[in-house]
Amino acid sequence: MLSKEDNEILTHSAAGTPMGELLRRFWLPVLLCEELDAPGGTQKRVTVLGEDLLAFRDTNGRVGLVEPVCPHRGANLYYGRNEEGGLRCVFHGWKFDVDGNCVDLPTAPCHSNYKDRIKIKTYPTREAGGFIWAYMGPADKMPELPQMEFTLLPASHVFVSKKWQDCNWVQCVEGAIDTAHFSFLHMVIPKEGQDVASLLQHAAIGSQSVKNDRIRWVQEDPRPKFEINEFPAGLTIGGARIAGEQDLYWRIAQFLAPNHALVPSAFPGENYHGQTWVPVTDTSCWIYNYTWNPDRPLTEEEREACRKGLTVHAEIDENYYPLRGPHNDYLIDREAQRQGSFTGIQGVSEQDAAIQNSMGGIVDRTREHLGATDIGLVKFRQYMLKRAKALASEGQEPAEPGCAAHYAVRSGGWVADAGKKLEQVMVERFGHPYGYVGADLRQAAEKVQS
């Protein structure tokens, strides 16, 4: 369990809070690129870390993320005109570019330089991997974008989505790195003669392009033994289950600071998946989801499966809200729950959301009773609290933002001899103890580390 004080530090993300200031040291996704698809198109309201902002793509294609308040009389620029390289307030015509500069002040005398002293608050943005990223921290601390593999690939190899969730972002992260729950939450209960693996494949829970008994191993061993290694960008979390007399089935997740996690399911040749959780308020967040294949473009069938809720993705409406959510009890089917589905809820993403949301807006961690399979989330909490407290009390900047190349890692499954440690398994599976992608990126990461 956590103390009340530590739970508040862990979960509060507004400006001035320890965790809020830590999160602001990193680049965060704030929109899908498709949400601002047209130069000079309609601006969009955005709330990130409790701040109400306005995003727009100017007529030159540049993305701005600005405070929406016109400094003249306080009118909201959401109602402004997106025209010729900037946003113009419709109240008195003051105009601002993506860097927050006032580029036209028609109410001032022609010879006046008053506009040069007017500026609105703005945050730097970048586009990568189908996301618009923003940096909301001190300008002199701005790092490189994290080199997550999906951001380095052609768009044809990647599918991205996002969805809304009605709870604190931390309990979502904890659900993702708690890989023990797969033995229950996402499991199906077969009837006599039915095959569990085929049922899960039909339910789009996992790919079976690599033939093995991974589903049976997960079902038969609900007590995985965990080993956790820290590396320059986060934590590698390996959970090992019995897979025969001499072998263990490893499901290896990656937590990448401060708010990314890579799914532990993929075997070589399969698609990889990951998620990033961005706080809106302390009791709501956007979840950014990504599926990628480093070796080939995704097929249209795979993209359509993602749209229908494959793995980390959810079925959503035009506003990115899940079709199955707390507003309709996730369309839980009690008969299906009795007959085959452990939850009676359709979709892995929706099953996760139902449980995470059921804990309340912010779960009271002072009442928990943790066990051996919870070691991953314990390490995650210690990791994040240590860095938030060090920044708040000592001004110690986190090292991870400066290690952009270390974010190019993979997660996934593997079967190895029971005598091997996680680091050895990582070398077998990925060719590197951290799971780095490719020799060039590994060399770049090692150079950053040195």
Side-chain angles (χ1 to χ4, degrees):
M1 68 175 66
L2 283 184
S3 67
K4 183 175 183 293
E5 178 186 20
D6 277 353
N7 197 37
E8 291 178 352
I9 292 174
L10 187 67
T11 56
H12 292 183
S13 59
T17 65
M19 190 60 66
E21 293 306 307
L22 180 67
L23 291 171
R24 284 166 171 79
R25 262 51 178 189
F26 296 81
W27 286 92
L28 305 174
V30 295
L31 288 170
L32 301 179
C33 293
E34 69 180 30
E35 296 182 78
L36 296 178
D37 57 347
T42 301
Q43 51 268 42
K44 188 174 181 67
R45 294 186 178 103
V46 180
T47 302
V48 187
L49 305 180
E51 290 192 43
D52 292 327
L53 302 168
L54 192 66
F56 69 103
R57 189 183 296 277
D58 72 11
T59 53
N60 300 314
R62 299 176 65 200
V63 174
L65 185 66
V66 303
E67 185 179 33
V69 179
C70 178
H72 178 209
R73 300 270 295 278
N76 196 306
L77 293 172
Y78 174 77
Y79 299 101
R81 295 171 54 87
N82 187 358
E83 59 175 41
E84 298 174 11
L87 273 182
R88 188 182 296 277
C89 180
V90 295
F91 196 10
H92 292 90
W94 292 26
K95 184 177 177 181
F96 303 90
D97 66 13
V98 296
D99 296 315
N101 301 308
C102 184
V103 293
D104 189 24
L105 205 163
T107 58
C110 295
H111 61 276
S112 172
N113 63 357
Y114 185 38
K115 74 176 178 61
D116 298 333
R117 305 198 301 271
I118 303 297
K119 193 174 178 70
I120 58 174
K121 182 178 180 180
T122 184
Y123 290 118
T125 63
R126 302 284 188 275
E127 294 186 70
F131 297 155
I132 296 170
W133 303 71
Y135 174 72
M136 299 173 65
D140 63 340
K141 307 295 183 185
M142 186 171 68
E144 296 179 49
L145 276 175
Q147 294 180 11
M148 299 171 72
E149 185 177 29
F150 80 95
T151 71
L152 307 176
L153 295 171
S156 59
H157 289 235
V158 182
F159 180 91
V160 299
S161 69
K162 78 173 191 178
K163 71 163 190 172
W164 178 267
Q165 189 138 334
D166 289 294
C167 68
N168 184 262
W169 71 282
V170 175
Q171 59 213 60
C172 301
V173 178
E174 291 180 345
I177 62 178
D178 163 28
T179 65
H181 77 262
F182 198 97
S183 296
F184 301 96
L185 183 63
H186 305 310
M187 193 53 63
V188 295
I189 306 169
K191 297 178 182 178
E192 185 176 352
Q194 283 185 310
D195 176 64
V196 176
S198 64
L199 288 174
L200 288 172
Q201 172 69 10
H202 179 71
I205 287 180
S207 168
Q208 289 290 316
S209 61
V210 177
K211 298 301 181 183
N212 54 46
D213 289 329
R214 72 181 91 175
I215 302 302
R216 179 172 61 82
W217 298 330
V218 169
Q219 185 184 43
E220 292 181 354
D221 187 358
R223 294 175 291 276
K225 304 300 188 295
F226 282 90
E227 189 176 338
I228 299 164
N229 293 335
E230 186 172 322
F231 73 106
L235 300 170
T236 301
I237 303 169
R241 290 175 166 89
I242 296 170
E245 294 183 2
Q246 302 296 327
D247 293 329
L248 293 176
Y249 166 45
W250 286 85
R251 301 182 78 240
I252 303 165
Q254 298 273 20
F255 165 71
L256 304 174
N259 58 340
H260 320 280
L262 306 184
V263 174
S265 58
F267 273 75
E270 297 181 344
N271 294 337
Y272 293 87
H273 312 280
Q275 294 179 288
T276 299
W277 297 266
V278 180
V280 176
T281 67
D282 288 342
T283 56
S284 62
C285 62
W286 285 110
I287 304 179
Y288 291 85
N289 314 296
Y290 28 99
T291 291
W292 75 98
N293 193 304
D295 303 316
R296 61 168 176 80
L298 298 178
T299 67
E300 181 53 37
E301 290 77 13
E302 288 170 325
R303 292 178 179 278
E304 184 60 24
C306 290
R307 296 184 192 103
K308 291 182 177 179
L310 175 70
T311 61
V312 296
H313 304 279
E315 288 190 281
I316 53 176
D317 65 17
E318 66 277 8
N319 296 311
Y320 306 98
Y321 286 84
L323 300 184
R324 297 180 292 281
H327 61 286
N328 57 16
D329 288 329
Y330 308 90
L331 298 180
I332 186 170
D333 184 335
R334 294 297 185 183
E335 185 61 26
Q337 189 177 32
R338 283 188 287 270
Q339 295 296 324
S341 165
F342 207 80
T343 62
I345 296 170
Q346 180 183 336
V348 172
S349 176
E350 290 84 350
Q351 291 162 1
D352 284 332
I355 294 305
Q356 293 158 9
N357 290 341
S358 75
M359 300 173 182
I362 301 177
V363 65
D364 182 359
R365 291 173 177 81
T366 68
R367 302 181 63 186
E368 292 178 327
H369 294 79
L370 302 182
T373 61
D374 297 312
I375 185 63
L377 63 94
V378 171
K379 292 292 187 183
F380 157 76
R381 293 173 186 179
Q382 293 171 343
Y383 183 101
M384 294 297 289
L385 286 169
K386 177 181 178 181
R387 285 153 179 77
K389 290 178 179 180
L391 178 61
S393 62
E394 305 165 22
Q396 181 179 330
E397 294 289 332
E400 292 83 356
C403 299
H406 285 277
Y407 284 75
V409 295
R410 291 179 186 168
S411 61
W414 196 242
V415 178
D417 183 272
K420 292 185 176 178
K421 304 289 287 182
L422 175 58
E423 186 171 290
Q424 296 171 294
V425 176
M426 294 289 286
V427 172
E428 277 190 16
R429 172 65 176 88
F430 304 108
H432 193 281
Y434 293 164
Y436 287 147
V437 176
D440 293 341
L441 285 171
R442 287 203 300 271
Q443 291 171 5
E446 288 161 2
K447 182 178 180 181
V448 170
Q449 186 180 27
S450 64

